[in-house]
Amino acid sequence: MAEMKSLAATVRSGTGKGAARSVRREGRIPAVLYGGGEAPTPISLDKKVTTQLIFAGHFLTTIFELDIDGKKERAIPRDYQLDVVRDFPIHVDFLRLKPGSFLKVNVPVHFINQDQAPGIKKGGALNIVYHTVEMKVPADNIPEAVTADLAGMDFNDSLHISQIPLPEGCKPTNPDKNFTVASLNPPAGGGEEAAPAAAAAPAKGKK
């Protein structure tokens, strides 16, 4: 399940570009909390704390308990914007998480047991088709990642989504019910299997 973190926020007055610039001049980041059948709530966040959270990774799959002037709201970031020149956050969108609700998230795929894949040992290349998989997941059970086991894979083998254990209640949105997540390609020239044949061939000019 995705990690939950606490994050302090403050309700901000006013919306639009002018109000957002005013918030940034105060050293804070404008944000909005929406969804859950309630009206959007304009909020602001501490710039230093939010920047650290974003660049630490997994920000968009982390559940936050927002403390908005003493009121607690469970939410997940749906998007953030970075300054195009200086690459720091300038806005964040949060989605309210209500019990029993579902949402779509991109879940990272972690590959394990490369050392137990014969094709990789022989010099093959892993072709990753999906580094992340979009899934519809319960709001109270958002996975941090799914694990793809490469053990036993040889040249020209494929790993399909049906071979990857998925958390309960999580379903891929891909219309292909058994799409390929990764495949193992032989190296150019045939790899180790071609080596014995090459060694057995006589060199040019020799009898």
Side-chain angles (χ1 to χ4, degrees), residues 104-177:
K104 291 180 181 179
V105 294
N106 287 311
V107 180
V109 181
H110 291 173
F111 295 90
I112 63 171
N113 292 330
Q114 288 91 334
D115 59 337
Q116 298 179 34
I120 293 179
K121 289 183 177 181
K122 293 183 290 187
L126 183 66
N127 173 39
I128 300 176
V129 182
Y130 290 96
H131 290 271
T132 62
V133 175
E134 185 183 71
M135 291 195 284
K136 186 176 181 180
V137 304
D140 53 356
N141 189 29
I142 301 172
E144 289 188 11
V146 294
T147 301
D149 192 346
L150 303 177
M153 285 189 68
D154 210 336
F155 294 159
N156 302 314
D157 285 347
S158 295
L159 185 69
H160 298 93
I161 191 63
S162 62
Q163 297 168 267
I164 299 176
L166 302 180
E168 185 176 356
C170 299
K171 184 178 180 181
T173 61
N174 194 316
D176 183 350
K177 301 301 181 183

Side-chain angles (χ1 to χ4, degrees), residues 88-109:
F88 60 80
I90 58 174
H91 194 275
V92 182
D93 292 339
F94 287 95
L95 174 67
R96 287 186 180 91
L97 297 179
K98 297 295 184 180
S101 62
F102 284 77
L103 67 155
K104 291 180 181 179
V105 294
N106 287 311
V107 180
V109 181

Side-chain angles (χ1 to χ4, degrees), residues 67-84:
D67 186 343
I68 308 172
D69 297 331
K71 180 183 178 182
K72 303 293 180 66
E73 294 263 19
R74 288 178 72 246
I76 186 169
R78 299 307 281 156
D79 194 16
Y80 60 86
Q81 298 172 24
L82 300 178
D83 183 271
V84 295

Side-chain angles (χ1 to χ4, degrees), residues 16-34:
K17 293 183 178 179
R21 282 196 293 266
S22 177
V23 169
R24 295 185 192 107
R25 282 196 295 268
E26 297 171 358
R28 297 182 65 80
I29 297 176
V32 64
L33 174 66
Y34 66 92

